[in-house]
Structures are given as structure tokens and as C-alpha cells.
Amino acid sequence: MVVGSSTRRWDVRRRAKHARLEGTRKALGLSGKVIPTNKIGMAIDTLVMPGDRVVLEGNNQKQADFLSRALVNVDSERIHGLHMIMPSVSLPEHMDLFEKGIAKRLDFSYAGSQSLRIAQLYVDLIPNVVLVAAYAADREGNLYTGPSTEDTPALLEAAAFHDGVVIAQVNEIVDDPKDLKRVDIPGSWVDYVVKADRPFFIEPLFTRDPRQIKDAHILMAMMALKGIYAPHEVESLNHGIGFNTAAVELLLPTFGEELGIKGKVCRHWFLNPHPTLIPAIESGWV
């Protein structure tokens, strides 16, 4: 198509992406999609540009913490003014990005029922770079995201289909694709994978790992159970936020029995399945 005396290009983003990938390939001497763990800083430095929109995965389950640490260590004189698009702000590195001047703008949310309207309002938030986490990958970039799959495909899709760069940190890289338990995200969506220096951090907000429950949580749960749930006979609840009273379900078959409130409280739960609910279910409370 000719506009005036110049030819308009329709593949600007695609050409820009290929230039970044080629620059990274030459700088790191790569022949495939796998970035050596000790070279992730160099990769980030060649793939991220000032003012980029960058998606950084950090949600109520897994965190791309290795890539967060790599991003926060770039030279802010070279990479700055980033527009971060994140499901949540939950790691110290997330705030360090802004304190160091690497990032200056943030869009984040737990959108809930308003997620569709938010997506419709912010259709311009197409990222230049997406940083995500997965359990495993093969050398072609196919990802196995394990039980924490719900957010990752949505984060990648906008970049994968609009010429953005996708980098995934993984706990393991396998040589044979058959060694992946399943493929949650195809390799055609992923530009680079890197084995992290340690397994990704899991924010136990909804995974509810019983090992994370401390004495203070048990005390607060006892107070809530006796002081609020019992007198008001709260039967239905969503207990999926935080750990302040996270031991309530564990206390139902014990402390709840002593209070004599079985069948009167906490009968119906609306939340993701938690291991700590199993005793309450098996004993007929929930």
C-alpha cells in the first residue's frame, strides 16, 4: 500500500521482534531456544528495550521470581521507563523495579468478575516482552505449567499472537518432549526458555500449604471460629484470601467439635480445593 510517496509497512512489530531475537542469538551464541542459566542477565539486556510493556507473571500461585531478579539487575541507564503489566505485586523485586527507575508505570489486578470489562478497556496493553514461569519445558519451548495453569496462557497469548517476545523460566528442561507430563503451552508461543537457579517461588495464598500455617494463624482461627462463626452461625464462606485465619478448616474436627457447632457453621465453601480441607470433608463437616 502506498501512502504519499512512501510504502507503509505492516510488519513493524514482527521485524522488531526478529531483530531482538537475532541480537540475543548473536550476543549469547545461541542455536536454539534454551538460554543458559548464567546468561539470563545478558538475554534480558538484549531483549528488553526502554519503555517496553513487560508482562511479569506473579499470581496467587507461581511467581516468575528468577526472571524478576534478572530484570531488577539490569542497568537502569540503559533499560528504564518500563510499563509493567502484572497479575499482582507480591515480591520485593516487583517494587525494586520502580525504586531503581527501571519501571515507571504499573497495571495490575485481581479483576474477578470485572476481568472482561478490564480487558475491553485496556486492549492497548499488548506487551513487548512476557516473563512467565513453568514447571518444565523441552528444547522446542513446549511448556508444562503443572497445577498452576490458569493464568499463564492468558499472559502469553497477547504476545504470542502480536509479535511480542516470550521468555519462560522453568524448573527443568527435558531433551525428549515425551518426558513432559503434558503440553499446556505450545512451543510456537515461546521464544526462549531458561532453567532457573532454583524452583520458582510459590505464593501460598490459595495453594494453602499446611506447612505455612503458624501458631498465630491457629490462634486467630480459634478466635474467628468461636467469636464470629459460631454466634452468627456462618454456614457459607469463601476462605481463599490470605492466611490470617487459614487454620479454620483444620480446627473444625477438633476445636469445632468441642464447641458443639458441627452442622451449624462452615458447611458450604466456595473456593479452590485446599489440602487442609480434607479432614473437614472426611469427618462430615464440609
Side-chain angles (χ1 to χ4, degrees):
M1 177 179 181
V2 177
V3 179
S5 59
S6 62
T7 301
R8 183 173 180 180
R9 292 190 176 278
W10 297 98
D11 61 347
V12 173
R13 283 184 61 92
R14 184 167 302 172
R15 289 162 62 89
K17 173 183 177 177
H18 288 170
R20 296 190 195 203
L21 297 180
E22 181 64 14
T24 302
R25 186 188 67 79
K26 290 181 178 179
L28 277 67
L30 301 178
S31 58
K33 291 189 174 185
V34 178
I35 297 173
T37 303
N38 63 354
K39 292 187 177 181
I40 187 59
M42 292 175 60
I44 293 290
D45 199 54
T46 57
L47 289 169
V48 179
M49 303 296 170
D52 271 353
R53 295 190 187 103
V54 178
V55 168
L56 181 58
E57 183 171 23
N59 51 45
N60 57 33
Q61 295 179 356
K62 63 185 188 312
Q63 306 277 337
D65 57 328
F66 175 63
L67 294 175
S68 298
R69 285 182 272 122
L71 184 60
V72 84
N73 284 321
V74 301
D75 182 359
S76 60
E77 292 293 321
R78 204 196 75 75
I79 300 177
H80 50 81
L82 299 183
H83 178 176
M84 303 303 299
I85 305 166
M86 304 163 61
S88 71
V89 177
S90 46
L91 296 179
E93 291 84 2
H94 296 167
M95 295 308 302
D96 292 344
L97 289 169
F98 294 89
E99 289 183 354
K100 290 186 174 184
I102 297 168
K104 71 172 185 179
R105 184 177 176 185
L106 171 66
D107 280 285
F108 74 102
S109 72
Y110 279 117
S113 61
Q114 299 303 311
S115 58
L116 176 59
R117 289 183 63 190
I118 288 176
Q120 291 170 338
L121 280 172
Y122 294 105
V123 293
D124 63 327
L125 295 184
I126 296 170
N128 303 100
V129 179
V130 173
L131 309 175
V132 295
Y135 278 83
D138 62 19
R139 295 186 177 278
E140 296 301 316
N142 295 301
L143 301 183
Y144 166 61
T145 55
S148 305
T149 301
E150 56 191 26
D151 292 338
T152 314
L155 297 177
L156 266 75
E157 191 172 17
F161 291 95
H162 212 288
D163 299 311
V165 176
V166 175
I167 310 172
Q169 72 169 70
V170 297
N171 298 342
E172 179 186 11
I173 296 177
V174 301
D175 292 317
D176 189 342
K178 294 180 181 178
D179 290 334
L180 292 176
K181 292 185 178 181
R182 65 173 185 266
V183 174
D184 295 312
I185 295 172
S188 59
W189 289 21
V190 179
D191 297 298
Y192 288 117
V193 295
V194 55
K195 183 178 179 180
D197 54 359
R198 58 178 182 259
F200 59 72
F201 175 74
I202 295 180
E203 173 64 39
L205 196 60
F206 290 135
T207 49
R208 197 67 69 82
D209 185 343
R211 293 173 299 180
Q212 301 290 336
I213 296 175
K214 303 297 188 291
D215 290 347
H217 300 131
I218 295 174
L219 177 60
M220 286 187 281
M222 293 176 71
M223 294 169 62
L225 195 57
K226 185 173 182 178
I228 300 174
Y229 294 171
H232 295 286
E233 296 190 353
V234 178
E235 292 191 35
S236 301
L237 62 155
N238 180 339
H239 225 257
I241 301 177
F243 268 89
N244 287 343
T245 56
V248 162
E249 60 265 36
L250 283 175
L251 293 175
L252 293 178
T254 53
F255 184 58
E257 292 282 356
E258 292 182 14
L259 295 176
I261 53 177
K262 185 174 183 178
K264 299 178 181 179
V265 303
C266 304
R267 297 171 58 204
H268 308 291
W269 295 60
F270 303 86
L271 76 173
N272 294 338
H274 298 323
T276 52
L277 270 172
I278 294 174
I281 294 172
E282 290 182 340
S283 59
W285 272 80
V286 177

